[in-house]
Amino acid sequence: MTEAILERIREAIPQSIPDDPARARRCVVDTARRVDDVLATLPEPVDRSADHRAVATAAKNLARGVRTRFLRAHGDAVYEELTEGFTLSPRLPELVRAAAIAYPGLVPGADRMKHEQGRPQAHKEGLEIDQGIFFHHMLRSPLSGSHLVDTMLLPTPRAMRLLPEFQHTGALDLGSVRLDRRGSAAHLTMCRDDCLNAEDNRQVEDMETAVDIALLDPTVRVGLVRGGTMSHPRYRDRRVFSAGIHLKKLHAGQIALVDFLLRRELGYVNKLIRGVRVDHDGEWHSPTIQKPWVAAVDTFAIGGGAQLLMVFDRVLAAADAYVSLPAAQEGIVPGAGNLRLGRRAGGRLSRQVVLWGRRIRATEPDARFLLDEVVEPDRLGAAAQRALERLDSPAVTANRHMLNLAEEPPEAFRVYMAEFALQQSLRLYSADVMSKVGRFSAARS
């Protein structure tokens, strides 16, 4: 019976999307409704047989094909409507929520996403893939994509709210990140001591807030990112830079495509490179406020931690530290690491690291492609202070801007992120990731 319903859906779906926006919108709505009717006849995702999964996949693919054709034809018009002619600047969550209201069936609504996010990853329907399709098309357009990337460089409301307190006290405890002003330097200390600074939605929020505030405070001229001291049994009383993505949270379904994977790259990581966009006296010549950044790596920088190192102006490491980017082992795409690592280390080494899982120790010759200076662990703090003093210069800020522009033009980043939005959403719901995240989370506990 379900196969017969699928066949009727196939017959009802036009091979091309109408040029008329109203008719095209109805096509998306009708297809989504028909596919939802099919899914409603099936058991919950975790209880589906192989035949059920095949039917669900076929039904979803029909709807996703229509959404893709619709966005190819009308994507810029959709974005223009959602931003009221580019006069509004909605961040990722606000944009996708607005799209769900204005274009039913194009992306899942807030109620469906709330239900979905309460499930373990393996029990989900995969609605984030539809969000990935949406952001793929929004970002790949030079018109809407450039506006969206610029929007994500705006400071967050939380940062604007906390900025006066930091300017007055010089210190903030954001939960997973501490921010301290010491002289002209902002010290961002990642302090998820129980999980080795593994990143989740919460840490991305705190990191973006801290980066925004450091960039906005006019008395800060340079920034340092370092890991704090751990309480984790295996690394108790040792500093750790980052264990990368929080795999237990991924397995539990608590790593979001929009609020973590896309926000991280388009938000605080991109701000470390390009600064924060805000009204200021020099806006006519420099639309963003940019500052140099130093990273100090204790123990290890794994996954997302390794990705971070590629955007800093000076990277220091303890002699007993190592760097790894085990993306293929984890089954996901390592953010913009694939965009940046090859440019820094070359194609062969980047494939050894990303595809083969090679671990690079700080004292290896190849570490020079990722690290600028290696010192004994007890000298890392002093080395970081020297680096901060050396980079505290207006000429450094201007030249790092030009270096970043040459190494990673904004358009190259936008095009990469468009494809990343789609491919990462597919990876999140692939069979190998479903089986791997549980094993990896157990291995790191």
Side-chain angles (χ1 to χ4, degrees):
M1 179 178 177
T2 305
E3 283 293 343
I5 296 173
L6 278 175
E7 187 56 37
R8 287 199 295 273
I9 295 175
R10 292 189 188 99
E11 293 173 355
I13 293 176
Q15 294 302 306
S16 60
I17 289 292
D19 291 333
D20 177 66
R23 289 179 56 209
R25 189 182 304 208
R26 285 197 298 272
C27 181
V28 172
V29 172
D30 290 345
T31 303
R33 176 179 51 78
R34 292 171 186 271
V35 168
D36 286 344
D37 289 344
V38 171
L39 296 178
T41 68
L42 302 176
E44 289 293 305
V46 68
D47 298 320
R48 289 173 187 167
S49 65
D51 288 342
H52 289 147
R53 290 194 296 272
V55 169
T57 298
K60 293 173 190 175
N61 284 343
L62 289 172
R64 287 165 182 162
V66 170
R67 292 180 185 116
T68 295
R69 293 195 291 275
F70 173 80
L71 287 167
R72 283 174 182 164
H74 302 286
D76 277 339
V78 169
Y79 190 86
E80 186 171 2
E81 178 181 338
L82 297 178
T83 60
E84 297 185 9
F86 301 94
T87 62
L88 303 179
S89 298
R91 289 171 62 83
L92 300 173
E94 290 81 12
L95 182 66
V96 77
R97 283 197 294 268
I101 294 170
Y103 292 84
L106 184 60
V107 290
D111 289 343
R112 293 188 69 189
M113 286 307 303
K114 183 177 180 180
H115 178 68
E116 180 91 333
Q117 288 163 356
R119 299 175 171 185
Q121 194 71 9
H123 297 186
K124 293 184 179 183
E125 197 70 76
L127 301 180
E128 287 179 304
I129 294 175
D130 300 304
Q131 294 180 329
I133 293 169
F134 174 77
F135 283 114
H136 170 71
H137 287 277
M138 295 300 102
L139 287 164
R140 75 189 295 228
S141 162
L143 188 64
S144 61
S146 297
H147 186 271
L148 181 53
V149 172
D150 280 350
T151 292
M152 291 302 293
L153 291 178
L154 293 170
T156 66
R158 184 188 182 203
M160 295 301 292
R161 188 173 67 252
L162 293 175
L163 177 61
E165 179 183 345
F166 179 72
Q167 290 178 307
H168 177 66
T169 65
L172 280 176
D173 185 346
L174 299 170
S176 63
V177 179
R178 291 195 310 272
L179 180 62
D180 299 282
R181 186 176 60 239
R182 302 173 193 170
S184 63
H187 290 242
L188 281 67
T189 305
M190 298 179 287
C191 51
R192 295 292 295 277
D193 60 297
D194 60 327
C195 63
L196 308 178
N197 287 327
E199 283 193 292
D200 55 13
N201 295 7
R202 170 190 168 191
Q203 185 144 344
V204 167
E205 163 77 20
D206 290 346
M207 283 294 289
E208 184 165 15
T209 302
V211 169
D212 281 351
I213 292 172
L215 289 168
L216 290 169
D217 185 344
T219 63
V220 169
R221 295 192 296 271
V222 61
L224 170 72
V225 176
R226 191 177 184 184
T229 302
M230 299 293 104
S231 64
H232 189 286
R234 290 177 59 185
Y235 296 91
R236 190 178 302 278
D237 298 328
R238 291 183 61 184
R239 283 183 180 264
V240 166
F241 190 74
S242 175
I245 192 170
H246 201 310
L247 289 171
K248 284 187 177 180
K249 295 287 184 72
L250 176 59
H251 181 58
Q254 297 171 14
I255 295 294
L257 175 70
V258 172
D259 287 326
F260 179 96
L261 295 162
L262 293 179
R263 176 181 177 176
R264 180 182 189 272
E265 302 303 322
L266 291 164
Y268 88 83
V269 178
N270 198 31
K271 287 173 177 177
L272 288 171
I273 299 174
R274 296 181 173 87
V276 64
R277 188 164 67 88
V278 66
D279 292 338
H280 62 105
D281 290 342
E283 185 181 9
W284 64 272
H285 61 79
S286 301
T288 62
I289 297 174
Q290 302 184 29
K291 296 172 183 178
W293 290 90
V294 176
V297 180
D298 299 272
T299 311
F300 52 67
I302 299 173
Q307 296 167 35
L308 273 181
L309 303 186
M310 302 173 204
V311 305
F312 286 93
D313 301 294
R314 184 80 176 171
V315 180
L316 315 173
D320 59 353
Y322 67 86
V323 178
S324 69
L325 198 63
Q329 294 169 285
E330 294 172 349
I332 57 177
V333 180
N338 292 334
L339 174 67
R340 295 168 180 144
L341 183 57
R343 293 176 178 175
R344 286 157 177 73
R348 290 269 56 86
L349 184 59
S350 63
R351 281 166 171 76
Q352 292 169 20
V353 172
V354 176
L355 305 182
W356 201 253
R358 177 181 168 186
R359 178 181 294 184
I360 298 182
R361 300 202 170 273
T363 52
E364 290 183 44
D366 283 342
R368 70 188 186 279
F369 295 113
L370 293 170
L371 310 174
D372 295 297
E373 184 178 354
V374 178
V375 299
E376 291 304 313
D378 61 352
R379 296 172 54 201
L380 187 57
Q385 183 59 37
R386 288 194 300 273
L388 291 171
E389 293 168 2
R390 182 75 175 267
L391 292 178
D392 184 359
S393 164
V396 167
T397 302
N399 279 286
R400 75 177 293 275
H401 167 65
M402 298 307 293
L403 287 167
N404 287 331
L405 185 64
E407 291 175 357
E408 187 180 300
E411 282 299 285
F413 174 70
R414 176 187 61 77
V415 171
Y416 179 92
M417 287 305 301
E419 191 64 19
F420 172 79
L422 179 59
Q423 295 303 324
Q424 189 73 300
S425 69
L426 293 171
R427 285 278 78 216
L428 284 176
Y429 295 95
S430 60
D432 59 309
V433 169
M434 295 298 106
S435 64
K436 285 177 180 179
V437 288
R439 185 171 74 251
F440 271 88
S441 59
R444 288 197 187 171
S445 62

